[in-house]
Amino acid sequence: MARKYFSEHTRAKHTYQFFKDRRNDPKWHDEYLVVRSKRNRTIAIEGILLVVLSLAVILWWHNSVSQPYVAENTSTTSADSKINRPKKKKNGLGRFIKKQVKTAKKDIASAKPNSSQQANTDNQQKVQNYILHKGFEIGPKLYDGEPIDKAMEERKAPQNSVHDGTVTLYFANSEIVEQSFIGSYNPKFESHYRITPNELIVRNDHIPYEINNGQVIFKNWLVKDGSHTVIYEIRNYPGAKEDIDSKPAR
């Protein structure tokens, strides 16, 4: 019977082929990637286990047929037995097989994700699910510790800080983010993004995040501007897709 995997969309289990058939559907694409990763890891572990079992059988068979039969000679003294007893030859094949078994066991251990790795993977998937097909806006919040609007009004910050420093984002799929700067004349463009265990990275922006009670929380981050410091934030922007689509292509 084919192995089945749980789906968050249907709240039921389906075969790998079910997810594969829907891999090009944005709704299913990321869940397909998760299922594929689980399936490949299972196949790798099962393959390594088969190798270990095969090597163990070969080792057992070799040892069983290579042991010489020695008839007990009751007239031989214990001293003679020590003198006449043939020295055991080192079994090169046995050592080789044992080494392969040991290596295979290490491969199994490395193929199984530890709790820390699994937690990181789960958190990255939570972030992916949170941002997928959603709009956001990145912009400056503080300039040298003061609210950006106040700093601009008092001419402590450049007057174009908000205009030039704000970018609209729409996460189209698991790899591409659509973007545009403020101003109808600014074209839309695309770039790749990635998610690490601690950050969402979009072009030059490294956006820190944490998972609190299963919820994704993006934190502000600092950018040096010469001798000044600018604190940036990322905000939800439901109208991002429409805003970006209205811009000319680069």
Side-chain angles (χ1 to χ4, degrees):
M1 181 180 294
R3 189 187 303 273
K4 293 187 176 182
Y5 305 88
F6 183 77
S7 169
E8 293 289 346
H9 293 297
T10 63
R11 311 302 297 179
K13 291 186 175 182
H14 306 283
T15 63
Y16 170 73
Q17 190 63 45
F18 174 89
F19 293 95
K20 185 177 180 180
D21 292 342
R22 292 160 176 78
R23 64 186 182 277
N24 294 323
D25 185 336
K27 176 183 176 182
W28 292 92
H29 178 72
D30 293 285
E31 197 163 52
Y32 159 72
L33 295 178
V34 174
V35 170
R36 186 180 65 178
S37 176
K38 291 180 179 178
R39 178 175 178 268
N40 290 343
R41 186 165 60 242
T42 300
I43 291 174
I45 292 175
E46 290 177 346
I48 294 171
L49 286 173
L50 181 59
V51 171
V52 171
L53 179 60
S54 300
L55 291 174
V57 171
I58 293 173
L59 178 61
W60 171 84
W61 175 83
H62 179 78
N63 287 338
S64 65
V65 300
S66 63
Q67 295 295 330
Y69 174 75
V70 180
E72 183 178 0
N73 187 346
T74 57
S75 64
T76 304
T77 64
S78 59
D80 290 338
S81 298
K82 292 181 180 179
I83 295 173
N84 298 328
R85 184 181 297 123
K87 293 182 179 179
K88 291 184 179 179
K89 294 183 178 180
K90 293 183 178 179
N91 190 332
L93 177 61
R95 289 201 309 272
F96 172 76
I97 295 176
K98 288 180 180 179
K99 183 178 180 181
Q100 296 303 310
V101 171
K102 186 176 181 180
T103 301
K105 288 181 178 179
K106 289 182 178 179
D107 290 341
I108 291 175
S110 62
K112 294 180 179 179
N114 58 40
S115 57
S116 177
Q117 291 173 332
Q118 188 61 52
N120 287 338
T121 301
D122 291 344
N123 288 345
Q124 288 170 259
Q125 188 60 46
K126 283 185 176 68
V127 175
Q128 180 70 89
N129 293 339
Y130 177 70
I131 65 176
L132 191 62
H133 307 313
K134 292 187 180 71
F136 297 87
E137 190 176 66
I138 289 176
K141 182 178 181 179
L142 301 175
Y143 189 88
D144 288 340
E146 290 191 19
I148 187 65
D149 291 337
K150 180 180 178 183
M152 290 171 57
E153 182 180 346
E154 296 176 352
R155 299 189 177 278
K156 296 178 180 178
Q159 298 302 297
N160 59 349
S161 295
V162 172
H163 185 277
D164 293 350
T166 301
V167 59
T168 302
L169 312 173
Y170 178 77
F171 293 90
N173 55 46
S174 61
E175 297 179 352
I176 299 297
V177 55
E178 299 174 358
Q179 301 172 77
S180 178
F181 289 96
I182 292 177
S184 58
Y185 53 86
N186 277 319
K188 59 185 177 182
F189 58 97
E190 296 180 350
S191 63
H192 286 81
Y193 71 92
R194 60 191 178 95
I195 303 169
T196 73
N198 302 302
E199 297 177 326
L200 166 63
I201 302 175
V202 181
R203 297 174 69 234
N204 296 324
D205 292 306
H206 291 242
I207 307 166
Y209 70 84
E210 63 180 22
I211 307 297
N212 191 350
N213 294 325
Q215 300 298 312
V216 178
I217 299 175
F218 288 116
K219 297 187 287 186
N220 299 338
W221 66 102
L222 183 147
V223 176
K224 294 288 292 183
D225 181 15
S227 60
H228 302 281
T229 58
V230 184
I231 300 297
Y232 280 81
E233 66 177 347
I234 183 170
R235 307 174 287 266
N236 289 313
Y237 181 18
K241 178 64 173 172
E242 292 75 12
D243 188 1
I244 293 172
D245 286 344
S246 68
K247 304 292 183 67
R250 173 178 288 182

